[in-house]
Amino acid sequence: MYNKAYTKMKRFSSYFCAVFALALLFSLTPSSADSHEKFVQCLYDYPENTSISSVVYTQTNSSYSSVLDVSIQNLRFFNVSSKPVVIVTPLVVSHVQATIICAQRHGLQIRTRSGGHDYEGLSYVSGVPFVVVDLIKIREIEVDVENNTAWVQAGATLGELYYTISQKSRTLGFPAGVCPTVGVGGHISGGGYGFLMRKYGLAADNVTDVHIVDVNGNLLNRKTMGDDLFWAIRGGGGASFGIVVAWKINLVSVPSTVTVFRVPRTLEENATGIINKWQRVANKLNESLTIRINMARVNSSQSGNLTVQAQFESLYLGRADDLIPYLQKNFPELGLVREDCTEMSWIESILFMAGFTNGQSTDVLLNRTQLNGLSFFKAKSDYVRDPIPDVGLEGLWPFFFDDEAENAFVQFTPYGGRMDRISESETPFPHRAGNIFHIQYGVSWFEKGDVAAQRHVNWIRRLYNYTEAYVSKNPRSAYLNYRDLDIGVNNNGHTSFSQASIWGFKYFSNNFNRLARVKTRVDPRNFFRNEQSVPPLGTNGRK
Ligand SMILES: Cc1cc2nc3c(=O)[nH]c(=O)nc-3n(C[C@H](O)[C@H](O)[C@H](O)COP(=O)(O)OP(=O)(O)OC[C@H]3O[C@@H](n4cnc5c(N)ncnc54)[C@H](O)[C@@H]3O)c2cc1C
Ligand SMILES: *[C@@H]1O[C@H](CO)[C@@H](O)[C@H](O)[C@H]1NC(C)=O
Ligand SMILES: *[C@@H]1O[C@H](CO)[C@@H](O)[C@H](O)[C@H]1NC(C)=O
Ligand SMILES: *[C@@H]1O[C@H](CO)[C@@H](O)[C@H](O)[C@H]1NC(C)=O
Ligand SMILES: *[C@@H]1O[C@H](CO)[C@@H](O)[C@H](O)[C@H]1NC(C)=O
Ligand SMILES: *[C@@H]1O[C@H](CO)[C@@H](O)[C@H](O)[C@H]1NC(C)=O
Ligand SMILES: *[C@@H]1O[C@H](CO)[C@@H](O)[C@H](O)[C@H]1NC(C)=O
Ligand SMILES: *[C@@H]1O[C@H](CO)[C@@H](O)[C@H](O)[C@H]1NC(C)=O
Ligand SMILES: *[C@@H]1O[C@H](CO)[C@@H](O)[C@H](O)[C@H]1NC(C)=O
Ligand SMILES: *[C@@H]1O[C@H](CO)[C@@H](O)[C@H](O)[C@H]1NC(C)=O
Ligand SMILES: *[C@@H]1O[C@H](CO)[C@@H](O)[C@H](O)[C@H]1NC(C)=O
Ligand SMILES: *[C@@H]1O[C@H](CO)[C@@H](O)[C@H](O)[C@H]1NC(C)=O
């Protein structure tokens, strides 16, 4: 019955289908007797494509664990007991459509995974019976150098995207994240930033079209999805709204030669004073220049004691000969000299920032394994609107000397430039003008078990508690792509707008209201949900 209906559905326009299919789905309320065998049979019976049987992995399949584990990027979620009943690795859109239809029919939740970098593992861990749709095989990239655009499928990584662009042009780039293994599916739908943000904005700001499969199994594009859904998935996270299959993006110009540096300054070398000055200039510098700071503990060369090192990492879209006098004038405290600087192509700067500093070939960008391997990891984020005074920084340093902080970092990323000229409601990502910089706090560890995990998580929570006085307030803001379940979760899957508001306004500010309205239109029964998904409004728009 549903087969016939869905074949028929495809002939109608998307808005019509949405209404039609909704009525249909109400008659398909899953019964608890349904098992994953029936779900798998449903996939096999899906009309459009029989080859789906080659991409369905049940728990008894000998490849199940390797398929699940290959994209897990955080050891905290490696051996969890709540694993998917089935993993589907679609080859084509019809496999995605079949999985969405059959999962609803048989009472299974879907978690969509592209690169698997979600900090809380939400793309492959769930407390209820669920299916992982893993887009690892949907990752083609087509670069159009004539029009400076590209179509990139959701399962591609940033490294694959940057590599493919560089094969076509030395003077085109894309403003997205630093780590090449990150998936474009999650990254772009949650914002996505890197060293080109001050000049070109976020990855999501440079999306011009999207292909997404909605809860009714319809493949939509920018025209057919409606302006509100197109708005929502460029910063609001894809997971609440459907399964993104591909993005069309604008490529941006980069000069054929750029300059990078990485300049370390310890506390003994006046790191506190230099950071103080950085906070007053970093967001006002020429937008072709981005200087971010990575703070971590190191052994002091002077005393053999521990100290904190602030590493000033920078990309300048120009030559070193222009950069040095510019910084001597605007940020002399850093003491940059010619020897600190290296000129290279933009793609080489991607390797440099990703930590490939031994002259590796750009092929390493195609490797989906993180350079330094995996660790147990927890992170949090903040935005800063007024400079943190020296006393605030000085209170931060002792945290680095705690045992738990051996592999911890605090990263300051400057805003300003293009980010100041994009309105807060242009996309769901609200952190624009008024922010001087963004903070990420992270802690890694290698010791297994709950005790070690709890110690490290407690450490970062204490640090976060300490910095409260110095960061954005009402709400204390956070970056969706640095997912943090500490800031609030939906109530046991029974989502309410008021419960979700606890975390929703931190990630999205007032855009959260509009996100909930979009959700209400496109997924009113809240099929696409997770611990921090956007909830639909209750009947009659009730909050
Ligand atoms: C090592 C590392 C480095 C990072 N560096 C940066 C950085 O430089 N800049 C930055 O901005 N961020 C960075 N991030 C954060 C990163 O942007 C987010 O974790 C992002 O969500 C990862 O996308 P993914 O596809 O790899 O993750 P996934 O875990 O696959 O997905 C993340 C979320 O998006 C959903 N999702 C994934 N694919 C789709 C899809 N196709 N359709 C709908 N929903 C989907 C998932 O269900 C999940 O909710 C980094 C993360 C890590 C682990
Ligand atoms: C069916 O899947 C194969 C790959 O497995 C693909 O080549 C073909 O185009 C698909 N057909 C449809 C109608 O999606
Ligand atoms: C595992 O699943 C794959 C993909 O569906 C299939 O090709 C393979 O035959 C299965 N293997 C086993 C042992 O079931
Ligand atoms: C996962 O479990 C296996 C088997 O018990 C164990 O060998 C491995 O060390 C565990 N890995 C992590 C990250 O806990
Ligand atoms: C560039 O865009 C135009 C207009 O959309 C299109 O006709 C042309 O084919 C595109 N160029 C390439 C190389 O695809
Ligand atoms: C996106 O890309 C284009 C280049 O095509 C660039 O000019 C623009 O400034 C970028 N950013 C935004 C926010 O539009
Ligand atoms: C440290 O930096 C501050 C501000 O940049 C500066 O005023 C101060 O003189 C510096 N202190 C030393 C000892 O260099
Ligand atoms: C910023 O840097 C670019 C690249 O070097 C340069 O062309 C531009 O003139 C600079 N702008 C200002 C305001 O200094
Ligand atoms: C720092 O010193 C400790 C103790 O002397 C040593 O074990 C550790 O390897 C050193 N770390 C680095 C990065 O040199
Ligand atoms: C070593 O570091 C600690 C913590 O910052 C500090 O209290 C102590 O004075 C330092 N000792 C030396 C010899 O520098
Ligand atoms: C990919 O990178 C990992 C981590 O650096 C490395 O161990 C592995 O050998 C690389 N794989 C290939 C095919 O180069
Ligand atoms: C956070 O700090 C406040 C005081 O500033 C304190 O009352 C509270 O216990 C702290 N919480 C944690 C988890 O450290």
Side-chain angles (χ1 to χ4, degrees), residues 172-197:
L172 288 176
F174 185 64
V178 175
C179 172
T181 58
V182 166
V184 303
H187 185 71
I188 299 183
S189 65
Y193 77 90
F195 281 88
L196 296 178
M197 174 180 71

mmCIF file of all heavy atoms in Angstrom, residues 172-197:
data_model
loop_
_atom_site.group_PDB
_atom_site.id
_atom_site.type_symbol
_atom_site.label_atom_id
_atom_site.label_comp_id
_atom_site.label_asym_id
_atom_site.label_seq_id
_atom_site.Cartn_x
_atom_site.Cartn_y
_atom_site.Cartn_z
ATOM 1 N N LEU A 172 41.380 29.572 -5.723
ATOM 2 C CA LEU A 172 40.039 29.433 -5.157
ATOM 3 C C LEU A 172 40.136 28.648 -3.856
ATOM 4 O O LEU A 172 40.968 27.736 -3.724
ATOM 5 C CB LEU A 172 39.107 28.691 -6.123
ATOM 6 C CG LEU A 172 38.653 29.459 -7.363
ATOM 7 C CD1 LEU A 172 37.825 28.555 -8.273
ATOM 8 C CD2 LEU A 172 37.846 30.703 -6.979
ATOM 9 N N GLY A 173 39.283 29.008 -2.904
ATOM 10 C CA GLY A 173 39.254 28.308 -1.627
ATOM 11 C C GLY A 173 37.822 28.220 -1.135
ATOM 12 O O GLY A 173 36.880 28.569 -1.860
ATOM 13 N N PHE A 174 37.674 27.782 0.107
ATOM 14 C CA PHE A 174 36.331 27.754 0.708
ATOM 15 C C PHE A 174 36.469 28.026 2.198
ATOM 16 O O PHE A 174 37.346 27.455 2.854
ATOM 17 C CB PHE A 174 35.642 26.401 0.460
ATOM 18 C CG PHE A 174 34.225 26.375 0.965
ATOM 19 C CD1 PHE A 174 33.262 27.212 0.396
ATOM 20 C CD2 PHE A 174 33.850 25.555 2.015
ATOM 21 C CE1 PHE A 174 31.954 27.229 0.875
ATOM 22 C CE2 PHE A 174 32.539 25.562 2.503
ATOM 23 C CZ PHE A 174 31.598 26.396 1.923
ATOM 24 N N PRO A 175 35.612 28.909 2.749
ATOM 25 C CA PRO A 175 35.746 29.297 4.157
ATOM 26 C C PRO A 175 35.093 28.300 5.112
ATOM 27 O O PRO A 175 33.972 28.505 5.558
ATOM 28 C CB PRO A 175 35.034 30.655 4.206
ATOM 29 C CG PRO A 175 33.984 30.568 3.142
ATOM 30 C CD PRO A 175 34.558 29.679 2.070
ATOM 31 N N ALA A 176 35.797 27.213 5.421
ATOM 32 C CA ALA A 176 35.249 26.225 6.363
ATOM 33 C C ALA A 176 36.347 25.801 7.337
ATOM 34 O O ALA A 176 37.394 26.436 7.416
ATOM 35 C CB ALA A 176 34.673 25.048 5.597
ATOM 36 N N GLY A 177 36.098 24.716 8.072
ATOM 37 C CA GLY A 177 36.909 24.346 9.226
ATOM 38 C C GLY A 177 38.335 23.900 8.950
ATOM 39 O O GLY A 177 38.730 23.691 7.806
ATOM 40 N N VAL A 178 39.054 23.748 10.038
ATOM 41 C CA VAL A 178 40.491 23.524 10.003
ATOM 42 C C VAL A 178 40.842 22.038 9.915
ATOM 43 O O VAL A 178 41.823 21.657 9.288
ATOM 44 C CB VAL A 178 41.126 24.132 11.280
ATOM 45 C CG1 VAL A 178 42.605 23.841 11.363
ATOM 46 C CG2 VAL A 178 40.860 25.639 11.314
ATOM 47 N N CYS A 179 40.026 21.196 10.531
ATOM 48 C CA CYS A 179 40.368 19.770 10.586
ATOM 49 C C CYS A 179 39.830 19.070 9.342
ATOM 50 O O CYS A 179 38.624 19.064 9.097
ATOM 51 C CB CYS A 179 39.756 19.163 11.838
ATOM 52 S SG CYS A 179 39.916 17.383 11.891
ATOM 53 N N PRO A 180 40.720 18.458 8.531
ATOM 54 C CA PRO A 180 40.283 17.922 7.239
ATOM 55 C C PRO A 180 39.335 16.734 7.321
ATOM 56 O O PRO A 180 38.629 16.456 6.356
ATOM 57 C CB PRO A 180 41.594 17.486 6.564
ATOM 58 C CG PRO A 180 42.691 17.734 7.501
ATOM 59 C CD PRO A 180 42.168 18.350 8.742
ATOM 60 N N THR A 181 39.260 16.036 8.450
ATOM 61 C CA THR A 181 38.402 14.849 8.509
ATOM 62 C C THR A 181 36.940 15.183 8.812
ATOM 63 O O THR A 181 36.067 14.315 8.724
ATOM 64 C CB THR A 181 38.906 13.860 9.583
ATOM 65 O OG1 THR A 181 38.932 14.518 10.856
ATOM 66 C CG2 THR A 181 40.307 13.362 9.249
ATOM 67 N N VAL A 182 36.655 16.431 9.155
ATOM 68 C CA VAL A 182 35.276 16.840 9.467
ATOM 69 C C VAL A 182 34.380 16.663 8.238
ATOM 70 O O VAL A 182 34.783 16.962 7.117
ATOM 71 C CB VAL A 182 35.269 18.317 9.940
ATOM 72 C CG1 VAL A 182 33.868 18.899 9.950
ATOM 73 C CG2 VAL A 182 35.923 18.441 11.313
ATOM 74 N N GLY A 183 33.156 16.168 8.454
ATOM 75 C CA GLY A 183 32.214 15.946 7.356
ATOM 76 C C GLY A 183 31.448 17.209 6.999
ATOM 77 O O GLY A 183 31.067 17.972 7.885
ATOM 78 N N VAL A 184 31.195 17.427 5.710
ATOM 79 C CA VAL A 184 30.470 18.652 5.341
ATOM 80 C C VAL A 184 28.991 18.580 5.734
ATOM 81 O O VAL A 184 28.348 19.608 5.895
ATOM 82 C CB VAL A 184 30.601 19.034 3.841
ATOM 83 C CG1 VAL A 184 32.056 19.204 3.436
ATOM 84 C CG2 VAL A 184 29.894 18.054 2.942
ATOM 85 N N GLY A 185 28.451 17.365 5.916
ATOM 86 C CA GLY A 185 27.032 17.237 6.272
ATOM 87 C C GLY A 185 26.716 17.912 7.591
ATOM 88 O O GLY A 185 25.833 18.769 7.676
ATOM 89 N N GLY A 186 27.457 17.580 8.634
ATOM 90 C CA GLY A 186 27.244 18.193 9.941
ATOM 91 C C GLY A 186 27.817 19.592 10.000
ATOM 92 O O GLY A 186 27.184 20.514 10.513
ATOM 93 N N HIS A 187 29.019 19.755 9.459
ATOM 94 C CA HIS A 187 29.755 21.013 9.592
ATOM 95 C C HIS A 187 28.994 22.204 9.006
ATOM 96 O O HIS A 187 28.779 23.212 9.683
ATOM 97 C CB HIS A 187 31.100 20.856 8.887
ATOM 98 C CG HIS A 187 32.038 22.018 9.016
ATOM 99 N ND1 HIS A 187 32.681 22.337 10.194
ATOM 100 C CD2 HIS A 187 32.456 22.936 8.102
ATOM 101 C CE1 HIS A 187 33.455 23.402 9.988
ATOM 102 N NE2 HIS A 187 33.332 23.780 8.740
ATOM 103 N N ILE A 188 28.602 22.086 7.753
ATOM 104 C CA ILE A 188 27.962 23.235 7.100
ATOM 105 C C ILE A 188 26.576 23.473 7.687
ATOM 106 O O ILE A 188 26.165 24.619 7.877
ATOM 107 C CB ILE A 188 27.913 23.051 5.564
ATOM 108 C CG1 ILE A 188 29.347 22.926 5.015
ATOM 109 C CG2 ILE A 188 27.162 24.200 4.904
ATOM 110 C CD1 ILE A 188 29.435 22.805 3.493
ATOM 111 N N SER A 189 25.854 22.411 8.052
ATOM 112 C CA SER A 189 24.511 22.642 8.586
ATOM 113 C C SER A 189 24.554 23.295 9.975
ATOM 114 O O SER A 189 23.566 23.881 10.415
ATOM 115 C CB SER A 189 23.691 21.346 8.608
ATOM 116 O OG SER A 189 24.223 20.392 9.488
ATOM 117 N N GLY A 190 25.726 23.230 10.651
ATOM 118 C CA GLY A 190 25.839 23.861 11.967
ATOM 119 C C GLY A 190 26.587 25.186 11.940
ATOM 120 O O GLY A 190 26.817 25.794 12.980
ATOM 121 N N GLY A 191 27.001 25.662 10.764
ATOM 122 C CA GLY A 191 27.746 26.926 10.648
ATOM 123 C C GLY A 191 29.037 26.673 9.897
ATOM 124 O O GLY A 191 29.075 26.736 8.677
ATOM 125 N N GLY A 192 30.103 26.333 10.627
ATOM 126 C CA GLY A 192 31.365 25.959 9.992
ATOM 127 C C GLY A 192 32.290 27.145 9.779
ATOM 128 O O GLY A 192 32.013 28.015 8.971
ATOM 129 N N TYR A 193 33.404 27.175 10.528
ATOM 130 C CA TYR A 193 34.313 28.304 10.352
ATOM 131 C C TYR A 193 35.767 27.845 10.381
ATOM 132 O O TYR A 193 36.105 26.790 10.909
ATOM 133 C CB TYR A 193 34.105 29.342 11.473
ATOM 134 C CG TYR A 193 34.746 28.916 12.766
ATOM 135 C CD1 TYR A 193 36.072 29.270 13.044
ATOM 136 C CD2 TYR A 193 34.084 28.117 13.673
ATOM 137 C CE1 TYR A 193 36.695 28.839 14.203
ATOM 138 C CE2 TYR A 193 34.700 27.683 14.837
ATOM 139 C CZ TYR A 193 36.005 28.039 15.087
ATOM 140 O OH TYR A 193 36.628 27.599 16.225
ATOM 141 N N GLY A 194 36.606 28.693 9.822
ATOM 142 C CA GLY A 194 38.047 28.460 9.861
ATOM 143 C C GLY A 194 38.756 29.779 9.623
ATOM 144 O O GLY A 194 38.211 30.853 9.932
ATOM 145 N N PHE A 195 39.939 29.711 9.048
ATOM 146 C CA PHE A 195 40.779 30.910 8.922
ATOM 147 C C PHE A 195 40.307 31.918 7.868
ATOM 148 O O PHE A 195 40.878 32.993 7.765
ATOM 149 C CB PHE A 195 42.233 30.506 8.682
ATOM 150 C CG PHE A 195 42.942 30.082 9.941
ATOM 151 C CD1 PHE A 195 42.907 28.769 10.380
ATOM 152 C CD2 PHE A 195 43.614 31.018 10.722
ATOM 153 C CE1 PHE A 195 43.548 28.389 11.551
ATOM 154 C CE2 PHE A 195 44.258 30.643 11.892
ATOM 155 C CZ PHE A 195 44.223 29.330 12.311
ATOM 156 N N LEU A 196 39.293 31.570 7.087
ATOM 157 C CA LEU A 196 38.761 32.552 6.126
ATOM 158 C C LEU A 196 37.490 33.233 6.633
ATOM 159 O O LEU A 196 36.887 34.033 5.919
ATOM 160 C CB LEU A 196 38.479 31.881 4.774
ATOM 161 C CG LEU A 196 39.697 31.323 4.025
ATOM 162 C CD1 LEU A 196 39.254 30.646 2.721
ATOM 163 C CD2 LEU A 196 40.711 32.426 3.721
ATOM 164 N N MET A 197 37.093 32.938 7.859
ATOM 165 C CA MET A 197 35.821 33.473 8.359
ATOM 166 C C MET A 197 35.789 34.991 8.402
ATOM 167 O O MET A 197 34.778 35.611 8.065
ATOM 168 C CB MET A 197 35.545 32.921 9.763
ATOM 169 C CG MET A 197 34.313 33.519 10.431
ATOM 170 S SD MET A 197 34.022 32.846 12.080
ATOM 171 C CE MET A 197 35.367 33.595 12.998
#
